[in-house]
Amino acid sequence: MKREKSDYIVPQSALNRLFNARRSLQPVYIYGMSTYGKTELVRQFFSGKTFCYYSSNSKDSELLSDFESHINPKRKMPLPVVFDDLQFVNDEEKQNRILEIAERDDVWPIFIARPPLLGWLVPYYTQNNFVVIGENELALTIDQIREFFFDKKIHITNENIEKLQEFIVGNPYALKVAATRLQNNSDAKTLIPHLREVFSKYMMNSVTKVWPPEFLNFFIQLSPVDSFTVEMAEYITGNPFASAYIEKARSIANFVYKKDDVYLIRPIPLEGFRYQFRSQFGTDKINEISRKAAEWYENHEEFEKAMVMYTRIHCTSKIKEILIKNSSQNPSNGQYLGLSRYYFELSESEIEENVVLMSGMSMICSMLFKTELSEYWYNKIKEKLDELKGEEKTEAKRRIAYLDIALPHRGSTTVLDSIKSIGVLLTTKGLKLPEFSVTSNLPSAMNGGKDFCDWSLKDRAIAKKYGNLIALVLGKNGKPIVNLALAESFWEKAGDNEEILSLLSRGQLESDLNDNLEMGFVASGLFIRFYLMTGQLDIALLQYTAFERKCRDFKCTKFFPNLLALQCRIDLYRDDSASTDMWLKNFAPDENKEIFALFRLQYMTKIRCYIAKNRLSEAFSLKEKMKWYAENYHRTYISIECDVLGAIINYRLDSEWKDVLKRALSAAGKYQFVRIISDEGAAILPLLLKIKEEFESSPEFNKNWFAKVIRESQKLSKIYPKYCAPPVMAPGNFSETARQILRLQCEGLSADEISKNLDIKLETVRYHIKQNYKKLGVNSKSRAIIMAKELYLV
């Protein structure tokens, strides 16, 4: 970065692009939203040098009408001419005059505007080799922000820097305002509210006051929502020109951008619009807009967002209505966690008014580990049966039958008996059950909605005897389940690959023919595991991409959280630490806020990420939480997983690990499961080899099975030797001298001062500094200090 007298921060990379363009005399196009420093970049570049400047906002248009008077005929190099604020040039005559000047041989043109490209510039752009400097290059990275605060001697934690970056998105001007605030008030908690206030007033007083009223009001009315489509914008605002206004905002002002299938307003202008929404509209207008937004969300089954809007306008009747709608859905389709606080805000009498709501309470309590409360509401439904009549009584019976199978905390031991009983009701009484989620949106049938490890002991017999009945009870999920469940059971036992692939292919085809994404996720997940474990990483990625694309085509977002967790597991095998870091930061659930049963795949993935990052204390803590869940919710598979991962964690913490691993092996051996252990490949193999002789000498264990576990673990270790390996930046990889040098750098000493302080050669100090930077994955002193503190190296 470079700072001039203005103290305006300009990224060096953007300046370098200008220097390179100057050497080759290529036309330059600079774009970005207001306050991103487009004009300041050019001014700093030309500091002390001659250049011509024209802004369409300036009343003086002499440059266009009398340009020749600015040309010095004796000048050897082309004259730099800057055309600024081009988004406001609507006059065709002025546009043509600018192009006429830009095409002169004695001119080097630089165009500045807010949108990525202006339509009237396209012909000139296509005929010339432009250098384009976009907003991303003007925006400061989080590392540059850290370095800026470090140089300013402003102390701010990494967490607060990340929060700041979420709001300012690298905006240099906003960073200056933030720095000034922190120099006068060191309380970082008040920083974002302060910036919201500053930029809200800035937007109102300096930016939007010149906009046409109808254009401005359109975005003020949209500001209560975080994102929108054209159709949603039309519904909320009642404006038939929504599409045109959105495109104008993108092309002229560049404060609206598209992400996936929705539009968003950038954080800083959004705060300005919301400030105007609160200050300029009366209560009736605010309630009208909020209600329209709530109705849109409700009609599109985005219940969490609808509830926020209805709560703002205190519409209690709609809140209860949505909770009943949500309770009608199975856990994989419903939005139970997001709506949980609204459920618990209802009085007991309000819940008892509706059987579906009581069923929803029983389900959500089970998912939140409130098992006694879950059973309380289940029994309340049973108690109410005698006083109910007609459709209400039928609904109560449906809900009881459904909960008998679906309640998460009850395990799977009685599921088969329940299926037999329900099968009779379905065939003789014509009872229609609510839709079941067999998998809870997980890529597994055995470890999905319920744990079916015990069924794998008699997998072929159960499939043969009860396969048709299971298919009948489970509805649309029933047809593919038998083939996929058998394939998964055989896969876990490292069975015959040909038979596994045959069952998988049949199950996937049955899922596809019925557009059944839930079972399709099981099939894709098992195929991905198969290809990963057989070293076909590219095909595994193709399988993942194909299913993700299918979800997007069907606009089915409910699988995305677990899909991203599955992608993270693939990245762990690939040793792609950048991708796993991104998942941890942006998508992984926070186990320290609350534990939610539906997030179990994500939690188990997070434990593996913690192990890979050498964050062993966090890995141990989360593993213990999941072990508790597994023991109390009859989740045998997760219990074994926890012990396998627990042994790895304890081994690396130099704690007792053998008994933990023996427990895992004993449990897995009962079911002849191989993959649950061998999947950990290079991370578990050293432990297996250490215990091999002792294990094989014990008469309690199956030697042939254990030999298969060792063999499969060795195969995977060769394919992915760095899977969950301790990172090079672990404290043990830094010598005491290296850590001493880091400590002294933290105290502000230079390399020369460290050399004298430690009485070692300057070259040695520089060597250690270079190696420290390499191990920490950084390239600056400030970043090395931050990383060293994060890793407790100093």
Side-chain angles (χ1 to χ4, degrees):
M1 288 185 299
K2 182 176 180 180
R3 291 178 206 44
E4 299 294 339
K5 291 181 181 177
S6 68
D7 197 34
Y8 201 97
I9 309 151
V10 176
Q12 188 64 46
S13 60
L15 283 173
N16 291 340
R17 297 288 305 281
L18 270 176
F19 278 116
N20 292 334
R22 176 63 169 156
R23 291 191 193 101
S24 57
L25 294 176
Q26 293 173 267
V28 177
Y29 186 84
I30 305 171
Y31 74 89
M33 199 181 73
S34 174
T35 73
Y36 267 86
K38 304 180 294 295
T39 306
E40 190 61 30
L41 168 67
V42 172
R43 285 178 177 155
Q44 291 199 25
F45 177 77
F46 287 118
S47 179
K49 301 181 181 69
T50 301
F51 71 102
C52 281
Y53 178 82
Y54 165 78
S55 169
S56 64
N57 279 337
S58 172
K59 294 179 182 178
D60 182 9
S61 59
E62 181 186 348
L63 178 68
L64 296 184
S65 60
D66 189 23
F67 177 74
E68 283 71 16
S69 66
H70 295 273
I71 295 290
N72 182 352
K74 295 181 180 180
R75 184 180 177 88
K76 295 180 180 180
M77 292 293 291
L79 176 67
V81 181
V82 179
F83 301 100
D84 203 350
D85 296 309
L86 293 182
Q87 68 275 4
F88 297 120
V89 180
N90 298 314
D91 183 85
E92 188 174 348
E93 185 178 339
K94 285 185 179 180
Q95 292 173 358
N96 290 335
R97 180 57 176 156
I98 289 170
L99 291 172
E100 184 182 312
I101 294 171
E103 288 173 347
R104 292 176 60 120
D105 292 336
D106 54 359
V107 164
W108 175 42
I110 297 175
F111 305 96
I112 302 177
R114 290 178 185 171
L117 188 59
L118 295 165
W120 59 272
L121 271 177
V122 170
Y124 180 78
Y125 177 85
T126 55
Q127 293 171 20
N128 294 273
N129 187 16
F130 266 57
V131 170
V132 178
I133 300 174
E135 187 176 291
N136 288 342
E137 292 172 274
L138 297 172
L140 302 170
T141 66
I142 198 162
D143 285 337
Q144 288 172 323
I145 292 173
R146 284 194 188 98
E147 191 172 337
F148 171 75
F149 284 129
F150 183 82
D151 291 345
K152 287 277 188 183
K153 295 182 171 55
I154 296 173
H155 177 71
I156 179 170
T157 64
N158 283 331
E159 182 182 359
N160 284 324
I161 288 176
E162 288 173 1
K163 288 179 181 177
L164 174 64
Q165 178 69 324
E166 282 179 15
F167 180 72
I168 70 172
V169 197
N171 188 306
Y173 178 70
L175 181 59
K176 268 191 67 180
V177 175
T180 302
R181 170 71 176 184
L182 289 173
Q183 285 171 333
N184 297 322
N185 184 343
S186 60
D187 184 6
K189 291 180 181 178
T190 64
L191 180 59
I192 301 300
H194 171 74
L195 290 176
R196 285 199 176 102
E197 182 180 352
V198 168
F199 284 102
S200 295
K201 292 176 180 177
Y202 166 77
M203 284 291 298
M204 186 171 70
N205 297 328
S206 301
V207 179
T208 62
K209 67 178 183 179
V210 298
W211 291 4
E214 66 276 7
F215 181 73
L216 173 59
N217 281 336
F218 174 78
F219 288 102
I220 292 176
Q221 290 178 72
L222 276 180
S223 65
V225 301
D226 294 325
S227 61
F228 51 88
T229 61
V230 172
E231 296 78 9
M232 182 183 183
E234 288 177 349
Y235 186 83
I236 292 174
T237 65
N239 193 314
F241 305 110
S243 180
Y245 282 173
I246 291 168
E247 286 309 308
K248 184 177 180 180
R250 296 180 74 196
S251 62
I252 303 300
N254 196 26
F255 64 82
V256 171
Y257 66 99
K258 194 170 187 180
K259 184 178 181 182
D260 296 328
D261 296 323
V262 298
Y263 294 98
L264 298 94
I265 300 173
R266 296 172 187 271
I268 288 176
L270 181 60
E271 287 302 324
F273 295 140
R274 285 178 173 172
Y275 178 82
Q276 289 168 288
F277 180 79
R278 294 188 298 268
S279 60
Q280 294 180 13
F281 289 166
T283 303
D284 290 344
K285 185 66 173 176
I286 289 173
N287 287 348
E288 177 194 339
I289 292 169
S290 299
R291 178 178 284 277
K292 282 185 175 181
E295 288 171 351
W296 176 272
Y297 286 135
E298 182 184 0
N299 292 337
H300 290 77
E301 295 194 345
E302 295 185 62
F303 294 149
E304 293 178 48
K305 294 177 181 178
M307 293 292 258
V308 171
M309 292 296 169
Y310 281 132
T311 301
R312 284 181 189 173
I313 57 177
H314 309 291
C315 191
T316 53
S317 61
K318 293 299 294 184
I319 289 172
K320 188 174 178 182
E321 186 181 319
I322 287 176
L323 291 178
I324 293 171
K325 281 184 183 180
N326 187 68
S327 299
S328 300
Q329 300 184 339
N330 67 60
S332 66
N333 291 331
Q335 299 161 43
Y336 287 88
L337 179 60
L339 300 179
S340 60
R341 75 177 182 89
Y342 301 104
Y343 277 99
F344 291 111
E345 284 173 0
L346 293 174
S347 67
E348 187 163 326
S349 59
E350 286 178 302
I351 298 169
E352 288 182 359
E353 290 174 4
N354 188 281
V355 169
V356 176
L357 196 52
M358 292 164 71
S359 173
M361 280 299 297
S362 180
M363 180 58 70
I364 197 170
C365 289
S366 182
M367 289 190 290
L368 290 171
F369 309 126
K370 302 177 186 292
T371 54
E372 290 183 8
L373 199 53
S374 174
E375 292 293 340
Y376 172 83
W377 285 112
Y378 170 84
N379 289 322
K380 277 283 184 183
I381 302 173
K382 294 190 81 171
E383 290 170 10
K384 205 165 185 176
L385 266 179
D386 292 337
E387 60 187 78
L388 296 174
K389 295 179 181 179
E391 182 57 34
E392 278 190 293
K393 188 161 191 170
T394 302
E395 183 62 46
K397 288 179 179 179
R398 291 173 72 235
R399 290 290 151 186
I400 291 169
Y402 169 74
L403 293 174
D404 281 338
I405 293 178
L407 281 177
H409 69 272
R410 289 191 178 179
S412 62
T413 52
T414 61
V415 166
L416 197 53
D417 290 335
S418 297
I419 285 176
K420 293 175 191 175
S421 301
I422 293 169
V424 174
L425 293 173
L426 289 172
T427 53
T428 62
K429 304 290 186 181
L431 186 69
K432 186 178 180 182
L433 290 180
E435 181 187 340
F436 282 98
S437 171
V438 179
T439 69
S440 296
N441 297 336
L442 295 168
S444 171
M446 179 181 293
N447 184 31
K450 296 270 186 166
D451 181 290
F452 290 103
C453 287
D454 284 342
W455 286 29
S456 73
L457 292 169
K458 301 176 181 178
D459 43 24
R460 292 185 193 273
I462 290 175
K464 185 176 181 179
K465 188 172 182 180
Y466 299 108
N468 291 333
L469 180 59
I470 291 169
L472 174 68
V473 171
L474 296 182
K476 72 172 186 178
N477 290 324
K479 194 166 184 65
I481 189 66
V482 176
N483 283 325
L484 292 177
L486 280 175
E488 185 170 4
S489 182
F490 298 164
W491 170 253
E492 288 293 347
K493 299 170 187 176
D496 179 68
N497 281 351
E498 187 175 332
E499 184 177 17
I500 292 167
L501 284 175
S502 175
L503 290 165
L504 268 182
S505 299
R506 290 168 182 267
Q508 188 174 58
L509 180 61
E510 289 168 339
S511 303
D512 291 344
L513 289 174
N514 292 284
D515 292 329
N516 188 332
L517 289 180
E518 185 175 347
M519 289 294 102
F521 192 22
V522 175
S524 293
L526 290 171
F527 267 121
I528 287 167
R529 288 184 69 188
F530 178 89
Y531 292 131
L532 277 174
M533 299 310 123
T534 53
Q536 302 176 79
L537 180 59
D538 291 344
I539 303 178
L541 288 168
L542 286 174
Q543 182 74 223
Y544 175 90
T545 304
F547 184 75
E548 182 189 43
R549 190 182 301 117
K550 187 179 294 186
C551 289
R552 294 192 186 280
D553 290 343
F554 280 88
K555 298 190 184 314
C556 187
T557 59
K558 66 181 182 179
F559 296 103
F560 285 170
N562 286 327
L563 254 176
L564 289 169
L566 184 59
Q567 171 73 69
C568 184
R569 293 218 182 172
I570 296 172
D571 292 333
L572 284 169
Y573 285 110
R574 297 164 68 196
D575 192 35
D576 186 346
S577 59
S579 295
T580 54
D581 282 341
M582 186 180 297
W583 181 80
L584 276 175
K585 178 183 176 182
N586 298 323
F587 303 108
D590 185 355
E591 69 273 16
N592 297 310
K593 287 184 178 178
E594 60 187 334
I595 293 284
F596 191 55
L598 286 181
F599 295 164
R600 50 191 173 271
L601 175 69
Q602 297 163 63
Y603 294 133
M604 297 308 294
T605 302
K606 198 171 184 182
I607 295 171
R608 290 170 170 87
C609 288
Y610 281 152
I611 291 172
K613 308 296 176 190
N614 216 48
R615 294 162 62 176
L616 299 178
S617 297
E618 292 164 280
F620 181 85
S621 176
L622 181 52
K623 181 267 300 180
E624 285 296 295
K625 291 176 181 178
M626 294 309 295
K627 181 70 173 176
W628 178 93
Y629 159 69
E631 291 171 349
N632 286 275
Y633 274 56
H634 313 286
R635 306 292 307 203
T636 302
Y637 193 94
I638 290 176
S639 180
I640 299 171
E641 261 191 301
C642 285
D643 282 339
V644 173
L645 297 175
I648 295 169
I649 294 165
N650 288 3
Y651 178 73
R652 295 187 185 180
L653 287 171
D654 198 23
S655 182
E656 169 53 46
W657 59 271
K658 284 187 179 180
D659 288 344
V660 180
L661 182 56
K662 285 179 182 177
R663 187 167 64 233
L665 291 169
S666 177
K670 173 184 173 183
Y671 303 99
Q672 297 294 291
F673 289 167
V674 172
R675 305 292 182 188
I676 196 169
I677 300 164
S678 65
D679 278 3
E680 305 311 317
I684 195 66
L685 183 60
L687 285 69
L688 293 173
L689 294 177
K690 283 180 179 291
I691 206 174
K692 182 174 182 290
E693 186 175 334
E694 179 183 345
F695 195 86
E696 288 179 337
S697 63
S698 172
E700 303 172 20
F701 296 108
N702 185 319
K703 293 181 177 59
N704 291 332
W705 167 80
F706 186 63
K708 190 184 287 188
V709 170
I710 293 279
R711 185 167 62 251
E712 293 300 321
S713 301
Q714 287 173 328
K715 283 181 186 177
L716 210 60
S717 296
K718 289 178 182 178
I719 300 170
Y720 308 109
K722 294 183 179 180
Y723 169 76
C724 282
V728 295
M729 62 176 70
N733 290 314
F734 291 81
S735 67
E736 184 54 37
T737 301
R739 296 176 75 169
Q740 278 184 310
I741 289 170
L742 279 170
R743 288 191 202 101
L744 294 174
Q745 282 186 299
C746 289
E747 294 172 13
L749 273 65
S750 66
D752 189 54
E753 290 169 328
I754 293 171
S755 171
K756 293 173 183 175
N757 189 292
L758 297 179
D759 194 25
I760 56 179
K761 292 180 180 180
L762 181 59
E763 290 77 16
T764 304
V765 173
R766 286 175 176 161
Y767 170 81
H768 279 295
I769 290 173
K770 185 177 179 181
Q771 291 301 307
N772 284 346
Y773 287 9
K774 183 177 179 181
K775 289 177 182 178
L776 292 168
V778 299
N779 54 17
S780 69
K781 177 181 175 181
S782 61
R783 189 71 187 120
I785 291 170
I786 291 167
M787 286 295 294
K789 288 179 178 178
E790 285 183 354
L791 293 165
Y792 305 104
L793 292 170
V794 294

